Amino acid sequence: MMPTRTVTADERLAMPPDRHSGHHPLALIVIAAAQLMVMLDLTIVNIALPAMQRELHFSTTNLTWVIDAYVLVFGGLLLFGGRTGDLFGRRQMFIVGIALFTVASLAGGLATTQALLIAARAVQGAGAAIASPTALALVATTFKEGAERNRAMAVYAAMSAAGGAMGLLVGGILVEVSSWRWVMFVNVPIGVAVLALTPLALPRGRGTRGRLDISGALAVSAGMALLVYGLVRAPSSGWANPGTIVSFALAAVLLAAFVAIERASQQPLLPLAFLRDRNKAGGYAVMLLLGAAMLSLIFFLTQFMQDVLHYTPITAGAAYLPIPFSVATTGLAVARLVRRVGTRPFLILGPALVTVGLAWVSGVNASSDYMRIFGPLVVVGVGMGLSFVPLTLNAVASVRRHESGLASALLNSSQQIGGSLGLAALVTVSTMVSHDQVQRRLAAGLGPGSISQLHAITAAASVHGYEVAFRIGASAAGLAVLLAVLLLRQTHPVEDAVQPGPGAA
């Protein structure tokens, strides 16, 4: 193997000895279980939202924070979490992240007020932000270059993609047979098992010298939080409301401050030079847009199936099974093919199929049967399966091993920030479209049977809002195709990677 550049002796000394000679199957099980648990929580709560709303008396606006608190903190702190693994040791920070996530899950299940539940979800997001990029970095540094690492990446990517869809099925079962609290409690035994096996499965490693860019982390996290807050409050408070305007203004100031801090810092949270690599910057942008499209699909389609088609939570969750099945089978096939054909073809075809699937599902209506949903879900699942493995390999190729946590965190950050911003923006658009349609229809007068007619008008308006959200999601995926064509070069991950395999040093 010929690396694209030479790794200096100083860099080799800085690299923690993460390579592990044995226990690879157990290491992969531990990493996959942790990633599955983290990704389950992106969606498992969606199915439980109606039950949470009834028991804790959430308003519709506040209810969105049960989702956004997790996704926003997760995405906002991913760079920070990935950097902690590089500095303090990946196994050590992996344990910290999983422990924090597990404790927060227990607290969330016991929550008796809205504030406690939202706070628990935010702490879950912080734990996930430490564990997830560290897990991906452990894959990159534990498994040998080539087929072994590609298979491990395929499993990791499959857990990332399938976890979101599986969360809906698991959540539906738990809500229907027990209560919404078990969508939180279910993480506790998984987290305890992962913590018990980690010392046996993963190499200890050691960190590198450096410091955490705390000011940068606070600026970007607070800026993203205010941006999402402004998007969430705009439908109810109005775009011209002083609170909405102040939220957007402060978000712009803090995000600009983040860029300034990173430029001035000697050890920045996000080295801006990282984004000068066209291939990597393009990959992050594609992941951001796919994250927005995917999370929005799951959020709105879940509401549609339960509120319009009147599916039970279990039925709605089971309806998503084509996605994890398609992602898993396609991802494994891509892992075998990517060494021969490179990443670029998959990174064009994958987002293109996601675009087709979202455009297809935008035609659903109150009389649609499941087969009208099944086809789009299969197409979207195949598209995501084609995309995740090449994007993951693209993120960790050609980076020094002590920067793999940062590279992993950037990819995950792109997905989660895209998901949080995309969901907030599309909820805003969908709500405004639905409200506008209701007002226009009410202006014509209800006439006899007005109560039942009002319900029908409201349901039709909601469906129209979902359709608009799906079409915008399809546009986001279509933009990902365009960026892949314009920015991504043909690469073969094994040839591009610089991390030496066992004995290669």
Side-chain angles (χ1 to χ4, degrees):
M1 180 191 71
M2 295 296 294
T4 57
R5 65 173 182 77
T6 302
V7 180
T8 67
D10 289 341
E11 289 170 351
R12 290 190 191 281
L13 289 173
M15 294 178 183
D18 283 352
R19 188 74 62 193
H20 200 229
S21 59
H23 300 109
H24 280 180
L26 184 58
L28 186 56
I29 289 171
V30 168
I31 292 170
Q35 184 65 6
L36 178 64
M37 181 174 67
V38 166
M39 298 307 293
L40 276 172
D41 265 64
L42 284 172
T43 57
I44 193 171
V45 172
N46 277 278
I47 292 290
L49 288 177
M52 291 176 176
Q53 186 173 27
R54 288 191 298 270
E55 183 170 333
L56 299 181
H57 310 294
F58 277 98
S59 67
T60 301
T61 301
N62 287 343
L63 189 65
T64 62
W65 281 104
V66 178
I67 303 296
D68 283 332
Y70 179 81
V71 175
L72 185 61
V73 175
F74 188 6
L77 292 181
L78 268 166
L79 292 176
F80 185 80
R83 184 63 174 151
T84 62
D86 290 339
L87 292 179
F88 305 126
R90 298 187 184 98
R91 191 183 81 172
Q92 294 88 317
M93 294 312 301
F94 179 79
I95 291 172
V96 169
I98 294 298
L100 192 61
F101 187 92
T102 304
V103 171
S105 297
L106 179 62
L110 297 173
T112 55
T113 67
Q114 297 178 23
L116 288 175
L117 179 58
I118 292 172
R121 289 286 287 166
V123 177
Q124 274 188 315
I130 297 172
S132 185
T134 307
L136 180 53
L138 283 166
V139 171
T141 56
T142 301
F143 295 89
K144 183 182 177 181
E145 294 278 2
E148 180 181 293
R149 184 183 297 174
N150 288 355
R151 284 192 297 269
M153 288 290 187
V155 172
Y156 178 92
M159 292 300 100
S160 297
M166 287 177 61
L168 295 162
L169 175 60
V170 173
I173 294 171
L174 291 173
V175 170
E176 199 151 315
V177 303
S178 183
S179 80
W180 67 264
R181 297 182 181 278
W182 278 95
V183 303
M184 306 292 286
F185 288 147
V186 70
N187 296 317
V188 177
I190 301 174
V192 170
V194 169
L195 289 172
L197 291 175
T198 294
L200 302 176
L202 298 177
R204 181 174 180 83
R206 63 176 183 269
T208 59
R209 292 186 299 274
R211 65 177 184 85
L212 285 173
D213 181 11
I214 296 176
S215 59
L218 290 174
V220 70
S221 300
M224 292 300 303
L226 285 166
L227 179 57
V228 171
Y229 177 71
L231 290 170
V232 168
R233 68 169 286 149
S236 58
S237 302
W239 290 93
N241 179 272
T244 304
I245 294 173
V246 169
S247 296
F248 287 135
L250 288 176
V253 169
L254 285 168
L255 293 175
F258 170 69
V259 174
I261 290 169
E262 299 310 283
R263 284 179 173 172
S265 176
Q266 291 184 345
Q267 294 181 315
L269 186 67
L270 172 58
L272 298 181
F274 236 72
L275 301 181
R276 295 193 190 111
D277 184 321
R278 191 181 75 174
N279 230 36
K280 285 188 167 45
Y284 298 143
V286 169
M287 180 60 97
L288 183 144
L289 291 166
L290 290 181
M294 192 67 178
L295 188 56
S296 300
L297 168 69
I298 291 173
F299 182 85
F300 289 107
L301 193 56
T302 300
Q303 306 305 311
F304 174 78
M305 287 191 290
Q306 291 196 63
D307 296 340
V308 179
L309 301 185
H310 306 295
Y311 285 8
T312 65
I314 289 180
T315 304
Y320 282 100
L321 285 176
I323 289 183
F325 179 80
S326 299
V327 168
T329 54
T330 305
L332 290 172
V334 170
R336 291 193 296 269
L337 294 172
V338 72
R339 294 176 64 192
R340 294 200 298 271
V341 303
T343 58
R344 192 169 186 267
F346 298 114
L347 293 178
I348 295 173
L349 180 58
L353 289 176
V354 174
T355 304
V356 171
L358 282 164
W360 187 0
V361 82
S362 70
V364 296
N365 55 56
S367 62
S368 298
D369 59 15
Y370 177 63
M371 294 310 296
R372 186 69 180 74
I373 298 171
F374 176 81
L377 291 181
V378 171
V379 172
V380 169
V382 172
M384 298 305 282
L386 290 173
S387 304
F388 275 134
V389 171
L391 283 170
T392 304
L393 291 170
N394 183 69
V396 297
S398 301
V399 297
R400 292 168 292 185
R401 192 178 305 165
H402 68 278
E403 290 180 335
S404 59
L406 173 61
S408 307
L410 277 170
L411 183 68
N412 276 299
S413 292
S414 300
Q415 182 182 5
Q416 305 313 325
I417 290 173
S420 61
L421 289 178
L423 181 59
L426 290 184
V427 166
T428 298
V429 171
S430 177
T431 301
M432 294 176 63
V433 167
S434 298
H435 179 74
D436 180 66
Q437 190 165 52
V438 168
Q439 294 302 312
R440 286 191 291 106
R441 293 192 179 188
L442 289 179
L446 291 177
S450 59
I451 299 300
S452 60
Q453 191 174 355
L454 177 60
H455 287 308
I457 288 173
T458 303
S462 296
V463 172
H464 183 59
Y466 301 153
E467 292 170 354
V468 172
F470 291 142
R471 287 197 290 270
I472 296 175
S475 299
L479 181 56
V481 177
L482 180 62
L483 292 179
V485 171
L486 295 177
L487 298 179
L488 300 183
R489 298 185 298 269
Q490 175 72 307
T491 61
H492 294 268
V494 173
E495 296 174 2
D496 286 347
V498 302
Q499 296 99 326

